Amino acid sequence: MAGTARRILVVGAGITGLTTAHRLATDSQAGNAPDIEVTVLEASDRVGGTLRTGPLDDPVLDGLGVDAGADAFLRRVPWALDLCDELGLGDELVSPTARRASLWLDDALRPMPNPNVLGIPLDPDAVDAGLLGPDPDGSTRARLAGDGRPDRELPDGDASVGAVVRACVGDRPFERLVDPLLGGVNAGRADDLSCAVMAPQLLAAARSEDGLLGALRRAGTAGDPTAPVFAAPAGGMGRLGEALVDRLAGAGVTVATGNPVTQLERDGNAWLAHVDRAGGSTPFRAEAVVLAVPAHVAADLVAPHAPEAGRSLAGWRHASVVLTTFAYDRADLVVDPDQSGFLVGRTEGLLMTACSFAGSKWAHLDHPDRVLLRVSCGRIDDHRPAELDDEGLVAELRADLATTLGVEAPPTAVRVGRYDRSLVQFPVGHFDRLAAIDKALADGAPGLVLAGAIRHGVGIPACVRSGNEAAALAAARVAGLPC
Ligand SMILES: Cc1cc2nc3c(=O)[nH]c(=O)nc-3n(C[C@H](O)[C@H](O)[C@H](O)COP(=O)(O)OP(=O)(O)OC[C@H]3O[C@@H](n4cnc5c(N)ncnc54)[C@H](O)[C@@H]3O)c2cc1C
């Protein structure tokens, strides 16, 4: 096949783009895909996108790497775990030591019910009295003791998480437990989020003969409750990006940072990618282009060729979040070593949405002299973090930490990580909307493949899955082209 290599361009070097390139290179080398040449163009000066591990400015921590973005991935689904094994990272994976979490509700930290599925308690007798709020006639608890059959008809097809959970267990467990937990995953409102994307197991359970709670309890007894739920490389999630880049270098794939793709132009059967680089640049020609960028970036690139897809993508909402890492002297702050952290509901009036006790969660971050906290803020309907400068934001978060953990002393180090429009929201009917975009792209812009969190969800495994699928689609596209 020498001399007939097809070019595939991947735009964006986050986990989705790097996985796509890795899969293409591996399949091509194994002879499972056509002879292809893969290039990754990344706008920023670094790879990994949201995956970012680095030290805090605190000499006592001696360069200890702490995740500034994602810090773990779900291991109950295969995609990220399989990728780590493939990259030789399997032995480096660790799981959180502390697994219990709390909720800040009505001015107190209250333990999450155990067991629970996405906040839904499976054993009402094991629910902290304060978690459900006043329940004078016991009706909330009585409902949780039942099988959770919906008290109204659920719509056909997709429904919001709120519609499903409210119908099956009532408003209070939804508002006080499920919304803080599930809304925390993508900074959304669970009343607006697609159950088919965010919690397909809840949708299936709610429609089953056993009822929501009956089906979840049955599934719970089938699984191992002690099996670890999350995993991460001990060196931090940035290791995943590094390992992928090493593999790509070995496979002859170019990953070029500082190359923002600003425009795609049709050129016969191929595409020309225009890059905004100081001093100008020659457009990059490729037979297929994988767009592994946030949906709002993809919207601008596809709009001239598939206007309907461009409009739809531009309308997809994204939440902006800020993840701030604090280091405290151990003399100033004590956290429960058995707790991984706590979530904060939207009704509590705080800026923070979650606080993770990094040293209790990860053995390698359990420092003898420092307590490390990762504090999140920002929701789809809370824009306060974007309106505050870093100083104002840190002051507000410190006030929240004083309220929740009682720490008044100044931190020894602070790092603010802003992630603007980073978390895509999944409206009810998401998959239908996505199918319409794919069709518009296939009709108006053949060879452009949309990848990333928009496909299956924001979690790392979902992005890896999307990267795998995008590679297969791009390879199939170039295989079908005449030489
Ligand atoms: C604060 C935070 C914490 C999170 N925590 C977790 C967690 O613990 N576990 C978990 O599973 N998930 C977590 N997530 C979600 C997960 O990290 C992301 O969904 C995932 O990393 C997205 O990967 P991606 O490659 O699709 O996109 P990104 O990481 O956004 O990468 C896209 C890349 O495209 C580049 N780009 C943009 N425009 C252009 C252009 N025009 N040309 C070229 N390149 C461009 C960007 O610079 C970026 O590098 C978290 C997300 C955030 C924001």
Side-chain angles (χ1 to χ4, degrees), residues 11-17 41-44 48-51 69-73 259-261 292-294 297 321 323 419 422-423 452-453 458-461 463:
V11 184
I15 184 66
T16 305
L41 295 181
E42 162 59 41
S44 73
T50 314
L51 305 189
D71 74 338
F73 59 82
N259 280 278
V261 174
V293 290
V297 178
V321 294
L323 199 151
Y419 297 88
S422 55
L423 291 174
V458 298
I460 304 288
C463 292

Side-chain angles (χ1 to χ4, degrees), residues 11-25:
V11 184
I15 184 66
T16 305
L18 294 175
T19 303
T20 307
H22 167 67
R23 189 63 55 224
L24 282 165

